[in-house]
Amino acid sequence: LLVYLPWMIITIIVFFAALVVQQSLALPFRICAGLPLTFVLRVTAPVVSVLCCLFLMVNSGEPCYGRDLSRFDSMDDFLQACSASKRKNIKRNLKKAQDTLRTKGIQASYHLAGSWRCTREIRTLLWDQCKGHYGFTYGSPAIVTGNRPVPPAFVYFVEMVFFAAFPNDIQILRDREGRLISINTRTHIRNMYCNPTYACRHEHAKDGIYSYTNRHILTEAFRVQASVVNVMPSMRSAKGALGLRPLHMGAIAAAGLSFACKAPRSPDVEEPEQAEVLIAVQEQPAALVAPSGGRRAARKKADAERAKAEGNRSLGGCSGASGCSGSAAAVDLEEGAGQAPALVTAPAPKGGKRAAQKKAMPEAAEEAGAAEEVDAADDEEPAVPAAASNSNVPTPATQPPKEAPAPLPAPPPKGGQRASRKKAAAEAVAAAPPAEEMTTIAVNGHTVIDPPADLEAQAGEQPGSALVESFNVVQAPADVGSGHAQEPAPREEP
């Protein structure tokens, strides 16, 4: 504490002395403002910015947050340096913020230094932000202040010092009614790109405005080819989640006082990603809701739309078969002239052969039932009454037949393929017509089918002859004729 108190006093004196000198030089140019005032502030800003960062770090006990961009060439390189989970969170938060801003119709506008003024509307928003945001100090400053929050008046005073000391560009966000909901300032000082001020209304604090603003700050820092981006102290967790880290005072001083500055990139060669972030809120106020549920839900939706289109096509056909087919063919020929026919493929069934067979069995049963109903309807001939020929009143015979309702699909069989085969075999046996019974007798070692009555009586009188039996299926030998028995050939004696 004995070392910290003198150091704190020195930084306060040096910073406010430099600030007084700068404002004394800039006071004559504040009358005309615009480009002359901006030029004076750019000349004196490097020294004031370094002293300002030193003053904030010493009196708050918290470092400035940002990132050294000297080893990154683009925003993609910056994201690749982050972990996979943080990179995913940054992209998801940015997308959600852009969707929210489009849904609520929030519009962003960017104004360069010297083209805007600090109006009462901006000062009111800053004061509301200072009253609602309680800043605390850490380390030795917390011991000096008794671990009490920083007074809102002192925070508001520091914010107004940032407005007066730096040549700030400003980004303004407004809602559909034109009310100011958020502002943030940026300034490019040598090789350092700073974000001195950020303010947002409490009701819009969870709309993702800070994620959108931080992404735009980083893309602008890459565009002007700054080596360090500095977003000042406070809000440690929010800035850490966006890939920012504590900065050393040496890196801030080296970037702020450097004379080897790179020329900014022109907007024409700006990366598409940067341009999209800049104009996403300005040109697309309407919300575009993406389909949720992933690929499976998209496939289900496509199948449902395809089935609906096929059903509408089948219901919207012509009553006359010849006229409908002819007109359809003509339209197809006209539309497809000089083009190869498109192949429409059905999606492959899921579950393998077994699932495909199970799915095909109810369809086959339904087709068989529909065929039987059509055959039965053709066999039936409606009777036409005699009086109907002399009357103009339509009769049931002259009225067009009504279409029979489509049969309901049969439920899939239980028990798998084996049970289905057993059931099909039993139904086939039950449906087969019964065979006619045939009477056979044996005469001299030969079988006779349906013999005459006299031959049957003779066979019954002969001793040792075969008994008359009944069979369902009997095949007669080739020498049996039309029911008459033939004598066997005589045996040769040895």
Side-chain angles (χ1 to χ4, degrees), residues 66-139:
R67 197 66 184 267
D68 185 3
L69 305 179
S70 57
R71 57 193 183 94
F72 304 126
D73 294 332
S74 63
M75 191 66 194
D76 293 334
D77 297 340
F78 173 80
L79 293 176
Q80 289 298 327
C82 302
S83 61
S85 60
K86 182 173 290 187
R87 182 166 59 249
K88 182 179 179 181
N89 290 336
I90 291 173
K91 292 181 179 179
R92 184 177 64 246
N93 293 338
L94 176 63
K95 184 179 182 303
K96 184 178 179 181
Q98 290 180 343
D99 294 341
T100 304
L101 296 181
R102 294 189 188 107
T103 303
K104 294 188 175 182
I106 298 175
Q107 298 182 356
S109 58
Y110 193 81
H111 307 275
L112 298 177
S115 61
W116 62 278
R117 293 181 178 274
C118 184
T119 60
R120 181 178 180 180
E121 187 181 27
I122 296 176
R123 294 193 297 268
T124 303
L125 178 62
L126 279 175
W127 176 243
D128 294 340
Q129 173 79 7
C130 294
K131 288 191 301 181
H133 179 72
Y134 295 95
F136 289 86
T137 55
Y138 303 91

Side-chain angles (χ1 to χ4, degrees), residues 220-231:
E220 280 294 300
F222 280 113
R223 189 186 68 82
V224 300
Q225 302 193 54
S227 60
V228 172
V229 58
N230 183 6
V231 294

Side-chain angles (χ1 to χ4, degrees), residues 436-443 446-453 455-456 468-469 471-485:
E436 297 180 359
E437 294 186 357
M438 303 179 186
T439 304
T440 62
I441 62 173
V443 179
H446 297 277
T447 303
V448 181
I449 303 174
D450 293 337
L455 184 60
E456 184 178 352
V468 178
E469 298 176 350
F471 299 90
N472 289 333
V473 179
V474 177
Q475 182 176 1
D479 57 350
V480 178
S482 58
H484 299 283

Side-chain angles (χ1 to χ4, degrees), residues 78-416:
F78 173 80
L79 293 176
Q80 289 298 327
C82 302
S83 61
S85 60
K86 182 173 290 187
R87 182 166 59 249
K88 182 179 179 181
N89 290 336
I90 291 173
K91 292 181 179 179
R92 184 177 64 246
N93 293 338
L94 176 63
K95 184 179 182 303
K96 184 178 179 181
Q98 290 180 343
D99 294 341
T100 304
L101 296 181
R102 294 189 188 107
T103 303
K104 294 188 175 182
I106 298 175
Q107 298 182 356
S109 58
Y110 193 81
H111 307 275
L112 298 177
S115 61
W116 62 278
R117 293 181 178 274
C118 184
T119 60
R120 181 178 180 180
E121 187 181 27
I122 296 176
R123 294 193 297 268
T124 303
L125 178 62
L126 279 175
W127 176 243
D128 294 340
Q129 173 79 7
C130 294
K131 288 191 301 181
H133 179 72
Y134 295 95
F136 289 86
T137 55
Y138 303 91
S140 299
I143 298 175
V144 174
T145 59
N147 202 19
R148 291 190 299 268
V150 181
F154 181 76
V155 178
Y156 181 77
F157 170 74
V158 174
E159 295 290 349
M160 298 307 298
V161 168
F162 291 160
F163 272 89
F166 301 134
N168 295 304
D169 302 342
I170 189 171
Q171 187 182 42
I172 299 176
L173 282 78
R174 298 181 181 273
D175 57 8
R176 287 192 179 96
E177 289 75 17
R179 293 175 297 184
L180 181 65
I181 62 172
S182 179
I183 63 168
N184 60 89
T185 58
R186 299 92 175 275
T187 179
H188 183 206
I189 303 171
R190 301 293 173 87
N191 275 342
M192 181 171 60
Y193 194 77
C194 295
N195 171 223
T197 305
Y198 172 80
C200 180
R201 292 191 181 276
H202 302 298
E203 57 268 22
H204 296 277
K206 296 184 179 181
D207 290 347
I209 295 178
Y210 191 72
S211 297
Y212 166 78
T213 300
N214 180 80
R215 184 60 172 269
H216 189 236
I217 291 172
L218 288 173
T219 53
E220 280 294 300
F222 280 113
R223 189 186 68 82
V224 300
Q225 302 193 54
S227 60
V228 172
V229 58
N230 183 6
V231 294
M232 300 299 179
S234 74
M235 297 195 300
R236 178 190 309 177
S237 59
K239 296 174 180 177
L242 297 173
L244 304 180
R245 299 175 181 176
L247 294 174
H248 296 287
M249 189 61 207
I252 296 175
L257 300 175
S258 175
F259 288 94
C261 303
K262 297 180 181 180
R265 299 173 185 172
S266 61
D268 297 337
V269 297
E270 189 179 25
E271 297 180 2
E273 184 182 46
Q274 299 174 358
E276 186 223 343
V277 174
L278 177 61
I279 66 175
V281 183
Q282 297 177 353
E283 296 186 357
Q284 299 181 9
L288 300 177
V289 182
S292 59
R295 297 181 180 177
R296 188 174 183 181
R299 287 197 302 267
K300 288 183 177 179
K301 185 177 180 180
D303 294 342
E305 292 178 354
R306 191 185 305 111
K308 184 177 180 180
E310 292 177 357
N312 293 339
R313 193 182 303 116
S314 61
L315 293 177
C318 302
S319 58
S322 60
C324 184
S325 60
S327 60
V331 171
D332 293 340
L333 289 175
E334 291 176 1
E335 292 181 354
Q339 300 179 359
L343 298 179
V344 181
T345 58
K350 300 179 182 179
K353 296 182 179 179
R354 187 171 183 179
Q357 292 173 356
K358 287 184 177 180
K359 184 177 180 181
M361 290 178 66
E363 296 177 357
E366 181 180 353
E367 292 177 359
E372 291 179 0
E373 291 182 0
V374 171
D375 295 341
D378 293 342
D379 294 341
E380 295 179 359
E381 297 182 357
V384 181
S389 59
N390 299 327
S391 175
N392 295 328
V393 180
T395 61
T398 60
Q399 292 180 353
K402 296 183 180 180
E403 296 181 0
L408 296 177
K414 300 181 180 180

Side-chain angles (χ1 to χ4, degrees), residues 412-435:
K414 300 181 180 180
Q417 296 180 1
R418 189 172 182 181
S420 302
R421 289 196 297 269
K422 287 183 178 181
K423 185 176 180 181
E427 292 177 355
V429 172

